[in-house]
Each structure stands twice: as C-alpha cells, then as structure tokens.
C-alpha cells in the first residue's frame, strides 16, 4: 500500500457493468489508488449488487488494490470468499456485528486490511474499543444502499471527530468517506481528515472516468494544505 496522504477510490457501483474492464482501466489511468467494490445483500441494505465472482473478475484486470465494502447482514460467512477473490481491504459495518473485535481480527488473519464502516446514525464512539484492530475507518456520508445520493453535511464534523479519536489512540488508520463525494466537497473532506475518497457517480456518471478521477484528486489536494500531517495508507 502506498504512503500517500490521499487516495482516490472510484466506486464501481456507478460504472457501466457491461464495460467494467474499460471503466477500470480508465479510472486507473486517471490515477485511482484503490477500486471500491460495494457488496449489498438486500437485507442490511435494500438493494442487491455483486459478490465474489465479480470481485474475482475485477481482480484479474485491476492493477490497484480492491477495497471491498460489505453492506451485508452476515459478513463473517463471506469474508473468506472475498479475500480469496482478491480483496485487499475488507470493510464491515459495525451495526451488524456484535462481535466486531473478532471479525476485524479474522479479516487480518486472512491477510487483508481490516476496515469498519459507520452509518450516518452511528456515533463515532461505537468503534472506540476496537481501534487497535482497525486498518481503516469508513464514514458513510449517505445512508448505504444506493449510489447517487446527496452528501449528508454532518459527515464532515464526523470525519474530524473520528480523526481526533484515532489520533488520540495513536492509530494511523486512514479515514475513508463514502457517499456523495464530488469535486465540490473533496477539499473540505480532506481538510477535515479524510484520507480515502470513495466516489461513484462523480467518477463514472459523466462518462469520462479518467478525467473525473484526475480532477477529483486535483480538487482533493487543495484540502491537504488545510490539514495537519495525517496518516498514510
Ligand atoms: C453506497 C455505496 C457507495 C456508493 C457511492 O451505499 O457504499 O460506495 O457507490 O456512490 P456515490 O459516490 O454516487 O454517492
Ligand atoms: Zn461503498
């Protein structure tokens, strides 16, 4: 994993699935650092998306690590399949895991980076006791389940609070932000402490993912000046 203070993670949910290889190559040419893959089960979130076979196919063509976001009710049952399919990072939701600590240890034991995601209604304190087991924290800035939603403004202060919580615990885990991220808010989010920007519609929605990825990074870089030296990836 690189040590950039900032990573752009295009979310494939908004890509043209009939041309996934082309979409991935374009995002990578534009400078994507990770590829974000959204897995939905129709239970935890009211939508269905992709599973391990798609992750495996993406892994065959991708040159950057896969950041797999599990929006599913029973992640423990499926984590191994996603790691075998090529996931470098696995993010699970705190809301579905009474034994979150064990699950995060399990992800690491399989050789992947462990991530934990917080819904908009979940307080940052929900992960306070597991910070030692976490390689990244994802702030959902929309309610999960669909691309193309409007960014929830309160997420910005949540990113700041999370970064402070991680710093106080001596954790260098990056904060990731997912949902409604675009060229207009990227700098503010980075200034607040986000190190990974997940973006679907703003990368793939306009039909020029290469350019959109490059422009999102350029916009986000403006926010780096406004923040203290932060965690790498
Ligand atoms: C939403 C997913 C996101 C989604 C973001 O549930 O977790 O990763 O693809 O899409 P945009 O960037 O369009 O809000
Ligand atoms: Zn996601």
């Amino acid at each position: 994993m690189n040590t950039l203070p900032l990573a752009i993670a295009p979310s494939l949910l908004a890509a043209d699935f009939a041309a996934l290889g082309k979409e991935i190559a374009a995002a990578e040419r534009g400078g994507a650092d990770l590829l974000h893959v959204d897995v939905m089960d129709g239970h935890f979130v009211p939508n269905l998306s992709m599973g391990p076979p798609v992750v495996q196919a993406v892994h065959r063509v991708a040159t950057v690590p896969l950041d797999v976001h599990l929006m599913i009710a029973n992640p423990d049952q499926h984590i191994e399949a996603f790691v075998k399919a090529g996931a470098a990072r696995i993010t699970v939701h705190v809301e579905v895991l009474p034994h979150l600590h064990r699950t995060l240890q399990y992800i690491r034991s399989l050789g992947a980076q462990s991530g934990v995601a917080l819904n908009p209604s979940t307080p940052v304190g929900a992960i306070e006791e597991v910070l030692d087991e976490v390689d990244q924290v994802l702030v959902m800035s929309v309610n999960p389940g669909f691309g193309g939603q409007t960014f929830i403004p309160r997420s910005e202060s949540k990113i700041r609070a999370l970064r402070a919580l991680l710093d106080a615990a001596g954790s260098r885990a990056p904060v990731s932000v997912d949902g409604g991220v675009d060229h207009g808010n990227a700098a503010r989010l980075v200034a607040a402490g986000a190190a990974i920007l997940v973006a679907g519609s703003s990368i793939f929605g306009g039909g020029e993912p290469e350019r959109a990825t490059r422009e999102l990074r350029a916009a986000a870089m403006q926010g780096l000046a406004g923040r203290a030296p932060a965690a790498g990836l």
Side-chain angles (χ1 to χ4, degrees), residues 82-105:
F82 282 104
V83 174
K84 282 191 173 149
R89 298 172 165 246
I90 298 268
T91 294
V92 293
H93 270 263
V94 56
E95 297 84 8
V96 298
L97 286 164
H99 307 293
L100 177 63
H101 189 277
R102 179 190 292 156
T103 299
L104 295 170
Q105 285 188 327

Side-chain angles (χ1 to χ4, degrees), residues 14-15 23 200-209 212:
E23 297 271 74
S201 315
S202 65
I203 297 277
F204 294 106
E208 287 190 77

